[in-house]
Amino acid sequence: MTVRPPDPAVPSGPVVPAGSAGPVAPSGPVVPSGPAAPVGAAVPAAPVGPAVPSGSVAPAGSAERAEHAGSGGPVRGRLTAVQGTAMYLGAVLGTGVIALPALAAEVAGPASLLAWLALVVLSAPLAATFAALGARHPDAGGVSTHARLAFGERAAAVVGWCFYLAIPPGAAAAALFGGGYAAATLGGGDATAAVTAAVLMGVVTVANALGLRVTGRLQVTLAVLLVMLLLSSVALSLPHARVDNLQPFAPHGWAAIGPAALLLVWSFAGWEAVTYLAAEFRRPARDLPRATGAAVVLVGVLYLSVAFAVVAVLGPAAARTDAPLGELMATGLGGGARTLAAVAALLLTLGTMNAYYAGAAKLGAALGRDGALPAWLAQGSTAGEAPRRSLTAVSGLAFAALLAVVLADVGTRPLVLLTTGSFVTVYAVGVAAALRLLPRWSKPHLTALTALIGVILLLAMSGAYLIWPLLVTVGALLYHHLHRRHRDPAPM
């Protein structure tokens, strides 16, 4: 998951998303996806952004288009299919892939490869659905805009809450992923991993409190670093692959493929990112489907290659390691390669978490400003102001999540499943909105119907972890109702 919540736009001017090269503003201050309509606001407010994968960067020239749009001139997108594919990859690829192949192998053994394949197959109609929505309703609000158009403000509020409250457990899991690589290099086991995770979370919190940002170029560099780490790990280790490591293929039964797939949703979150990029394409009708298709193929090939290498090279040992890429590199280059992998993993984790926190803090402030969360959180919703109260809430919840799993000694799996449960819920809302907004029985409508079937299967497999997004949904709806009653007293 490179799911980074972009900064919301505010009335005072465009806000530069964390990790972006400039403001994305085709028609005024516009930012990536999130609740497009305020909940309980007296007048329409600019959309706020959800937790979406880190690495998404404003297209070249967007700042110029923002200025031009503000003067009332025509706006023409400049994003080509190739550039769109690159940005799509930056949105989907994330740090989950440095650890999830081992977690999936622990759950399902070599059969986890089928879980990876199933998610790749599901990604095709899911990505195509969001691409169709983006082309038909190009808006910076993304999934929340589509939820509002299809179902009203309540649905938009639910999406905002789900994104905002997915960040704390997701951040804690990402920090532990990086901590696992530090422990593999330094020793110390779970204690080293937990301390490293806490340090990473503390550094990111302080950096955001001070207003520091990861630049767009650095985010792209981190995405390139991740791809290089994955490719080098696969290339160096594949000569050591053994067919025997694929036997038995389903040691925990075929039913284990479902839970493994649910874990892997983390690595595929981000297909909705194209909805806020739609207006940036030079020729959306032609280039948007091309970029979407190319991104699905490239992500699928990359992930399947890494997953196969982890299973075929490491064998049963894959389920017992917290640093599978480090083990792959060590197999090809020797034990010293674990240090190289650890440094790369920690840099990736730090950059991704910084984007998580920056965007989530802005999202919470915007939700507070618009009445979807308590107004106390609204501090920092204006351009150039650090949202320290929302940041404190995000950081506090993330540390609480870390402390809970460390004390319970349950590892990262519960954190991952809590996060993916929220994302699956948001995807269910988004695909349901597509079925209502897209022309009935058209090709995009049928594609959305196919995606909905896959999302429903994921929801069914979520089990107890679906309780969290359900509680969040109830909380969002209850707060929305109470806020409206307080704002609009009954007539005398």
Side-chain angles (χ1 to χ4, degrees):
M1 148 180 139
T2 52
V3 190
R4 133 173 112 67
D7 294 353
V10 293
S12 60
V15 181
V16 180
S20 96
V24 181
S27 55
V30 180
V31 295
S33 49
V39 184
V43 294
V48 296
V52 295
S54 62
S56 41
V57 182
S62 59
E64 290 84 350
R65 287 196 302 285
E67 182 180 355
H68 196 50
S71 64
V75 179
R76 178 181 176 83
R78 299 182 182 181
L79 204 61
T80 66
V82 174
Q83 291 171 326
T85 300
M87 294 183 68
Y88 224 155
L89 291 176
V92 177
L93 294 177
T95 55
V97 73
I98 70 176
L100 290 180
L103 285 177
E106 180 183 3
V107 172
S112 62
L113 295 175
L114 297 181
W116 284 98
L117 180 61
L119 266 296
V120 172
V121 172
L122 174 60
S123 293
L126 193 62
T129 296
F130 286 120
L133 279 175
R136 190 172 182 84
H137 301 280
D139 186 89
V143 180
S144 275
T145 290
H146 303 139
R148 176 177 56 83
L149 291 175
F151 308 116
E153 291 183 355
R154 291 181 180 85
V158 169
V159 170
W161 274 51
C162 282
F163 272 125
Y164 185 62
L165 294 178
I167 292 301
L176 285 171
F177 290 160
Y181 278 76
T185 301
L186 302 175
D190 292 344
T192 299
V195 170
T196 302
V199 170
L200 288 171
M201 293 164 64
V203 168
V204 169
T205 299
V206 172
N208 278 275
L210 295 176
L212 302 180
R213 298 293 182 87
V214 174
T215 66
R217 287 187 178 86
L218 180 55
Q219 287 293 140
V220 173
T221 300
L222 291 173
V224 171
L225 176 62
L226 175 59
V227 172
M228 292 178 60
L229 177 63
L230 298 179
L231 292 178
S232 60
S233 299
V234 171
L236 291 170
S237 63
L238 273 183
H240 302 274
R242 296 177 54 192
V243 176
D244 292 346
N245 286 333
L246 300 178
Q247 300 296 331
F249 190 73
H252 307 297
W254 296 104
I257 296 174
L262 191 61
L263 279 170
L264 299 179
V265 170
W266 173 293
S267 288
F268 289 88
W271 293 121
E272 79 286 351
V274 76
T275 56
Y276 68 79
L277 292 175
E280 296 292 332
F281 279 88
R282 186 178 301 166
R283 298 180 180 87
R286 185 196 70 177
D287 293 340
L288 187 54
R290 290 182 178 181
T292 302
V296 169
V297 171
L298 290 174
V299 167
V301 170
L302 192 58
Y303 279 177
L304 286 172
S305 299
V306 173
F308 177 79
V310 167
V311 171
V313 174
L314 301 182
R320 299 189 296 270
T321 179
D322 293 326
L325 300 187
E327 295 302 318
L328 289 181
M329 294 187 69
T331 300
L333 294 178
R338 291 189 182 90
T339 302
L340 178 62
V343 171
L346 290 173
L347 288 175
L348 288 167
T349 303
L350 195 62
T352 301
M353 287 180 60
N354 187 77
Y356 288 172
Y357 277 55
K362 275 292 186 184
L363 171 59
L367 291 173
R369 177 199 66 203
D370 294 341
L373 282 174
W376 180 83
L377 293 172
Q379 178 272 330
S381 62
T382 56
E385 186 180 3
R388 293 186 177 89
R389 293 177 181 175
S390 180
L391 175 65
T392 299
V394 170
S395 181
L397 290 172
F399 273 110
L402 176 64
L403 181 62
V405 296
V406 169
L407 293 178
D409 193 25
V410 292
T412 56
R413 191 185 305 177
L415 297 174
V416 172
L417 291 173
L418 284 173
T419 305
T420 57
S422 296
F423 286 131
V424 172
T425 301
V426 169
Y427 279 169
V429 175
V431 174
L435 290 174
R436 193 160 188 174
L437 297 175
L438 296 175
R440 189 173 295 274
W441 306 123
S442 63
K443 184 178 179 181
H445 186 269
L446 294 175
T447 301
L449 187 60
T450 302
L452 182 63
I453 295 172
V455 171
I456 289 175
L457 290 175
L458 288 175
L459 284 172
M461 291 184 294
S462 297
Y465 291 97
L466 198 57
I467 295 175
W468 173 243
L470 289 177
L471 290 175
V472 171
T473 298
V474 171
L477 295 177
L478 181 61
Y479 186 86
H480 178 269
H481 175 71
L482 295 176
H483 180 77
R484 286 181 64 89
R485 286 187 60 185
H486 179 73
R487 187 197 64 182
D488 302 322
M492 298 297 292

